[in-house]
């Protein structure tokens, strides 16, 4: 397991309270542009039978992007208050409240999973990535982003936590866990969980203020990874 300097349960509670206490949406309705961009490139591999999961979906700002692709769309998050907000704008999504590290889905279930703006917030991301690997079909794809310290939000209103400064772990506003990854660390993390790296690219985008969380418009820079669960090797 990767070194943990945060408390997973306290962190999940903090996110849930943010959604509970924020009228309307924290993240807004605009999806991050790279999600549609990457999905468009793999759409020809999907069919109406495909299963797509937005993992740690929050209020579901990326769900409409998944719904434009062929297939059946699922969304999961640890926060019941976040999932309730998804229902307000779309009833055609199967919602599940669960921990990313222990989902209710069968082995080899999904063709595609998106895990957006989340890995950097997990104290133990390897456990969640192991679970994403379990529920993906062999050959299935995981789209995620893993920012490094070049992200404009890195270290802003963040206090370092843990003994190992090189691990770049923080609490944002004294509450929300963040860790930033250099490229070698990000690749080592996903490979240690059994994924092959299909694409490894940097993207920049702008976001409006997030009420109750980050009260000003800001820019992000992040590494975007398209990962593949290898086909089982027959012996
Ligand atoms: C920064 S938000 C990103 C939400 C969404 N992916 C988006 O881009 O709008 C991180 C999300 O991860 C969820 N989360 C954090 N830890 C989790 C865990 N262990 N299991 C499931 N969800 C978790 C939080 O509830 C929150 O909705």
């Amino acid at each position: 397991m990767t070194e943990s300097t945060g408390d997973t349960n306290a962190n999940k509670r903090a996110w849930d309270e943010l959604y509970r206490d924020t009228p309307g949406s924290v993240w807004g309705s605009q999806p991050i542009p790279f999600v549609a961009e990457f999905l468009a490139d793999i759409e020809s591999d999907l069919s109406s039978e495909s299963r797509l999961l937005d993992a740690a979906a929050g209020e579901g700002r990326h769900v409409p992007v998944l719904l434009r692709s062929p297939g059946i769309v699922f969304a999961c998050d640890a926060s019941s208050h976040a999932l309730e907000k998804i229902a307000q704008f779309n009833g055609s999504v199967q919602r599940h409240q669960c921990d990313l590290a222990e989902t209710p889905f069968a082995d080899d279930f999904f063709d595609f999973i998106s895990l957006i703006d989340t890995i950097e917030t997990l104290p133990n991301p390897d456990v969640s990535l192991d679970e994403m690997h379990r529920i993906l079909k062999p050959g299935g794809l995981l789209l995620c982003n893993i920012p490094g310290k070049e992200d404009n939000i890195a270290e802003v209103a963040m206090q370092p936590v843990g003994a190992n400064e090189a691990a770049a772990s923080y609490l944002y506003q004294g509450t929300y866990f963040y860790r930033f990854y250099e490229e070698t660390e990000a690749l080592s993390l996903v490979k240690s969980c059994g994924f092959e790296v299909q694409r490894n690219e940097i993207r920049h985008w702008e976001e409006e203020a997030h009420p109750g969380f980050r009260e000003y418009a800001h820019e992000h820079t992040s590494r975007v990874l398209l990962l593949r669960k290898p086909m089982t090797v027959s012996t």
Side-chain angles (χ1 to χ4, degrees):
M1 185 182 293
T2 311
E3 182 199 13
S4 170
T5 47
D7 176 337
T8 297
N9 287 327
N11 206 45
K12 285 192 297 185
R13 261 196 315 278
W15 289 113
D16 190 46
E17 287 168 8
L18 172 66
Y19 293 120
R20 182 196 66 193
D21 297 343
T22 307
S25 153
V26 175
W27 309 118
S29 58
Q30 291 305 309
I32 300 174
F34 73 74
V35 179
E37 177 201 338
F38 277 68
L39 249 177
D41 287 349
I42 61 167
E43 207 172 86
S44 55
D45 297 337
L46 301 173
S47 73
S48 59
E49 308 290 304
S50 298
R51 298 190 194 100
L52 290 69
L53 171 67
D54 192 17
E59 303 147 325
R61 64 176 161 163
H62 298 109
V63 163
V65 182
L66 271 61
L67 284 169
R68 287 201 293 273
S69 297
I72 306 154
V73 175
F74 297 70
C76 71
D77 199 283
S79 166
S80 61
H81 292 97
L83 292 169
E84 282 166 17
K85 295 185 184 187
I86 294 180
Q88 287 173 10
F89 72 87
N90 206 305
S92 55
V93 176
Q94 300 190 32
R95 293 168 299 131
H96 294 265
Q97 183 190 1
C98 60
D99 195 300
L100 281 172
E102 193 174 2
T103 70
F105 307 111
D107 292 356
D108 305 341
F109 191 70
F110 289 105
D111 298 88
F112 173 85
I113 300 175
S114 50
L115 182 60
I116 309 301
D117 270 6
T118 296
I119 291 176
E120 71 274 24
T121 72
L122 299 172
N124 297 298
D126 51 343
V127 190
S128 298
L129 285 167
D130 282 343
E131 178 70 356
M132 299 299 102
H133 187 277
R134 181 187 72 77
I135 63 178
L136 264 180
K137 292 179 183 172
L141 295 169
L142 172 65
L143 175 64
C144 61
N145 65 308
I146 308 185
K149 281 196 184 178
E150 62 276 10
D151 194 344
N152 283 4
I153 65 150
E155 297 183 309
V156 178
M158 295 188 181
Q159 298 86 39
V161 290
N164 180 4
E165 278 183 31
S169 300
Y170 305 87
L171 286 182
Y172 173 59
Q173 295 182 346
T175 303
Y176 306 93
F177 180 87
Y178 271 82
R179 177 174 170 182
F180 298 94
Y181 294 79
E182 292 180 2
E183 179 175 16
T184 50
E185 294 173 320
L187 295 180
S188 152
L189 170 65
V190 298
K191 288 178 185 172
S192 73
C193 298
F195 289 101
E196 292 172 356
V197 178
Q198 289 226 315
R199 288 174 68 177
N200 169 12
E201 299 171 19
I202 297 292
R203 290 291 181 274
H204 311 276
W205 68 93
E206 297 177 357
E207 297 210 22
E208 297 298 321
H210 300 314
F213 188 74
R214 186 168 287 115
E215 303 292 344
Y216 51 90
H218 51 283
E219 294 178 0
H220 282 286
T221 295
S222 182
R223 181 170 308 288
V224 178
L225 297 173
L226 184 66
L227 307 174
R228 185 170 177 272
K229 175 173 174 174
M231 302 299 292
T232 306
V233 180
S234 49
T235 52

